């Protein structure tokens, strides 16, 4: 610690005494699990550590043997009463060798805090963050209102006008043909439902998006209701893994229905089901195993034991995989979706696109707004993971998640509508990546966080590898979730608008 002494200098002191204040609460064993508590019937509910500087005084010459015997006589620190309140501070001398005596004392303090409320102190420490969370929600709501206005403009004014003019029976053939030529999205009605390239892979990622989104929503609900405590991160991670495995049934069902819609009856059902069960969790497991292998090689204490990895494989292949097969079996038995318009046998030629409507610029623009919704909340989540802060505000996270999903839906609808107006009917993958590209901005922000918040000078290559490895997994899952939200909304939007027109 430092203290100003005059205009251009400071006195530096050493904190060489620690006071441990241990707080305890009396418990009356009157039934329930409290019967197991033995005498004296108290529970430790918290502790505080206070540091101070003391220039310890003693008689004669210092003898280190008194430390082992616990018989050191200090004038400034009584073994029964603790340090003197008015003891002088230990001034750090410059260019001079000096002895420093480190001491501590323990104080037991009775507390009215019950065992179940012992973690509330961390929640009270973060009350000042509420204003920032509210600012994040207001910021996200403004983005959402902006997108809602654009969607309302498209739906209520442009589309309504187009559909009315396109479907009017009282027009002459020349007027009806002129109305068809005015807007480009109607011109691609015969190609808009043409299956995309790598349609099976797209269906697999749609199913994985359902699986990850279901896991995230269920976890946040349980955490917000208090069933999952962030103080016990092991239970939180275990719940995430189990819930992901249990969501295999809807994942298999959704991927099977979309594959059947793309390819009809002539598809390899086993291949599609295995891709759904293996691709997303397989990539996650391989990255996690390689990172854990690096920790094993460095003999780090944070390495996951082999038994835990074996348990993960058991959950994957004995729970998740059969549930994916069950969902896929039900999905293949359902009737495929019927498209509202027929698909032409010959693909329509796509005209040259203006630069900002091409794939890469359009996708990158679409990912900005979804990332803008979550970047404030992302800071607190990263601080919870890498700076050992407790994250209790799952209610805020749930609100931000809802705003994020609605934003992804709206931005994908807007961007795909503009794409169809430019007579480009390759919208399937772009609908997925328009909102899914926000994961790229998330990874870039995580890199910025690493450079500014994590101690880069002290960070080794292994710690940097672990950080970016886990952030790549988080970004991968974020892309799947946001991509699914954008795709499914765009899919229903395209079906609705093309189902509302009359095609000869």
């Amino acid at each position: 610690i430092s203290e100003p002494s005059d205009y251009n200098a400071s006195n530096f002191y050493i904190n060489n005494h620690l006071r441990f204040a241990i707080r305890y609460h009396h418990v009356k064993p009157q039934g329930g699990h409290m019967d197991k508590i033995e005498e004296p019937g108290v529970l430790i509910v918290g502790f505080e550590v206070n540091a101070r500087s003391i220039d310890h005084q003693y008689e004669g010459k210092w003898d280190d043997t008194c430390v082992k015997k616990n018989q050191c006589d200090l004038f400034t620190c009584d073994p029964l009463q603790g340090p003197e309140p008015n003891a002088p501070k230990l001034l750090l001398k410059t260019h001079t060798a000096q002895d420093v005596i480190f001491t501590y004392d323990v104080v037991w303090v009775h507390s009215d805090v019950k065992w179940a409320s012992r973690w509330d102190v961390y929640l009270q420490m973060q009350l000042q963050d509420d204003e920032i969370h509210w600012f994040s929600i207001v910021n996200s709501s403004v983005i959402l209102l902006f997108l809602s206005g654009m969607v309302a403009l498209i739906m209520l004014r442009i589309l309504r006008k187009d559909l009315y003019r396109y479907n009017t029976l009282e027009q002459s053939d020349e007027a009806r043909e002129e109305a068809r030529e005015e807007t480009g999205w109607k011109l691609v009605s015969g190609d808009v439902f043409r299956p995309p390239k790598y349609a099976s892979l797209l269906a697999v990622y749609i199913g994985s998006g359902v699986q990850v989104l279901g896991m995230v929503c269920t976890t946040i609900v349980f955490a917000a209701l208090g069933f999952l405590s962030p103080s016990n991160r092991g239970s939180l991670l275990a719940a995430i893994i189990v819930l992901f495995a249990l969501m295999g049934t809807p994942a298999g069902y959704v991927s099977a229905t979309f594959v059947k819609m793309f390819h009809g009856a002539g598809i390899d059902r086993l291949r599609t089901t295995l891709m759904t069960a293996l691709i997303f969790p397989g990539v996650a497991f391989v990255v996690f195993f390689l990172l854990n292998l690096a920790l094993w090689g460095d003999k780090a204490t944070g390495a996951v034991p082999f038994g835990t990895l074996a348990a993960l494989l058991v959950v994957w292949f004995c729970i998740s995989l059969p549930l994916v097969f069950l969902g896929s079996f039900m999905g293949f038995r359902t009737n495929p979706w019927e498209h509202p318009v027929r698909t032409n046998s010959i693909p329509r030629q796509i005209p040259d696109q203006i630069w900002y409507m091409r794939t890469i610029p359009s996708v990158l623009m679409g990912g900005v707004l979804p990332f803008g919704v979550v970047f404030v909340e992302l800071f607190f989540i990263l601080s919870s993971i890498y700076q050992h802060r407790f994250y209790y505000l799952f209610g805020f996270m749930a609100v931000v998640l809802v705003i994020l999903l609605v934003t992804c839906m709206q931005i994908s609808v807007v961007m795909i509508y503009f794409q169809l107006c430019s007579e480009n009917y390759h919208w399937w993958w772009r609908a997925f990546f328009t909102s899914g590209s926000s994961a790229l901005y998330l990874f870039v922000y995580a890199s910025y966080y690493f450079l500014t918040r994590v101690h880069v000078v002290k960070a080794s290559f292994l710690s940097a590898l672990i950080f970016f490895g886990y952030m790549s997994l988080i970004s991968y899952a974020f892309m799947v979730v946001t991509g699914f939200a954008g795709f499914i909304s765009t899919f229903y939007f395209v079906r609705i608008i093309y189902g509302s027109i009359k095609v000869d």
Side-chain angles (χ1 to χ4, degrees), residues 40-284:
V42 295
L43 292 173
I44 296 177
V45 295
F47 65 91
E48 296 178 2
V49 181
N50 297 313
R52 58 177 297 189
S53 177
I54 302 176
D55 188 5
H56 289 297
Q57 304 295 326
Y58 51 89
E59 183 178 359
K61 187 177 180 181
W62 178 258
D63 185 8
D64 290 334
T65 59
C66 70
V67 178
K68 298 181 180 179
K69 300 178 182 179
N70 198 19
Q71 296 177 352
C72 300
D73 294 329
L74 299 175
F75 300 147
T76 51
C77 189
D78 187 85
L80 299 178
Q81 299 180 357
E84 293 291 335
N86 299 323
K89 297 179 180 180
L90 179 59
L91 178 64
L92 180 63
K93 301 176 182 178
T94 57
H95 307 291
T96 304
Q98 66 180 122
D99 294 330
V100 179
I101 300 175
F102 291 92
T103 56
Y104 73 94
D105 68 315
V106 179
V107 179
W108 293 83
V109 182
H110 180 267
S111 175
D112 294 330
V113 177
K114 297 182 179 180
W115 174 259
S117 305
R118 66 193 186 280
W119 293 101
D120 290 353
V121 61
Y122 294 99
L123 181 60
Q124 295 172 2
M125 291 171 60
Q126 298 181 12
L127 289 177
Q128 65 271 18
D129 296 338
D130 286 357
E131 295 183 359
I132 302 177
H133 285 279
W134 282 115
F135 167 76
S136 172
I137 291 178
V138 171
N139 170 64
S140 305
S141 300
V142 170
I143 296 176
L144 183 61
L145 290 175
F146 169 72
L147 284 176
S148 300
M150 292 190 64
V151 173
L153 179 65
I154 292 174
M155 298 296 292
L156 298 180
R157 298 193 62 181
I158 302 177
L159 273 179
R160 188 176 179 182
K161 181 181 178 181
D162 289 345
L163 292 173
Y164 174 77
R165 297 180 61 184
Y166 193 75
N167 293 328
T168 300
L169 298 176
E170 298 177 356
Q171 292 181 346
S172 62
D173 293 338
E174 294 79 6
R176 190 180 299 116
E177 187 66 25
E178 182 181 356
R180 292 182 181 181
E181 295 294 337
E182 287 181 356
T183 52
W185 67 270
K186 301 188 238 18
L187 299 177
V188 295
S189 59
D191 299 274
V192 71
F193 290 106
R194 189 179 302 279
K197 295 182 179 179
Y198 310 106
S200 298
L201 184 61
L202 177 60
V204 166
Y205 273 109
I206 296 170
S208 298
V210 174
Q211 189 172 11
V212 179
L213 180 60
M215 177 265 293
V216 170
C217 294
T218 310
T219 303
I220 291 178
V221 169
F222 279 125
L225 294 177
F227 294 104
L228 298 174
S229 175
S231 60
N232 188 357
R233 298 188 178 183
S235 64
L236 192 63
L237 290 176
I240 290 175
I241 294 172
V242 172
L243 289 173
F244 178 82
L246 295 178
M247 291 296 167
T249 300
Y253 179 84
V254 172
S255 63
T257 53
F258 273 97
V259 165
K260 194 172 183 180
M261 181 191 70
F262 288 142
H263 297 297
I267 53 176
D268 189 349
R269 300 186 178 187
L270 178 61
R271 176 173 173 268
T272 302
T273 306
L274 288 176
M275 289 174 62
T276 306
L278 299 179
I279 286 184
F280 178 81
V283 171

Side-chain angles (χ1 to χ4, degrees), residues 341-357:
V341 292
R342 292 180 302 174
T343 301
N344 297 333
S345 57
I346 300 176
R348 179 186 178 89
Q349 185 177 1
I350 299 176
D352 293 335
Q353 303 290 301
I354 196 169
W355 69 270
Y356 56 81
M357 289 305 299

Side-chain angles (χ1 to χ4, degrees), residues 446-462:
S447 304
Y448 169 78
Y449 182 90
F450 179 80
L451 296 175
T452 56
R453 293 287 177 173
V454 182
H455 298 290
V456 183
V457 177
K458 299 180 180 179
S460 62
F461 172 77
L462 180 61

Side-chain angles (χ1 to χ4, degrees), residues 434-455:
T434 295
S435 54
S437 63
S438 56
L440 175 63
Y441 297 99
L442 186 149
F443 188 82
V444 172
Y445 178 79
S447 304
Y448 169 78
Y449 182 90
F450 179 80
L451 296 175
T452 56
R453 293 287 177 173
V454 182
H455 298 290

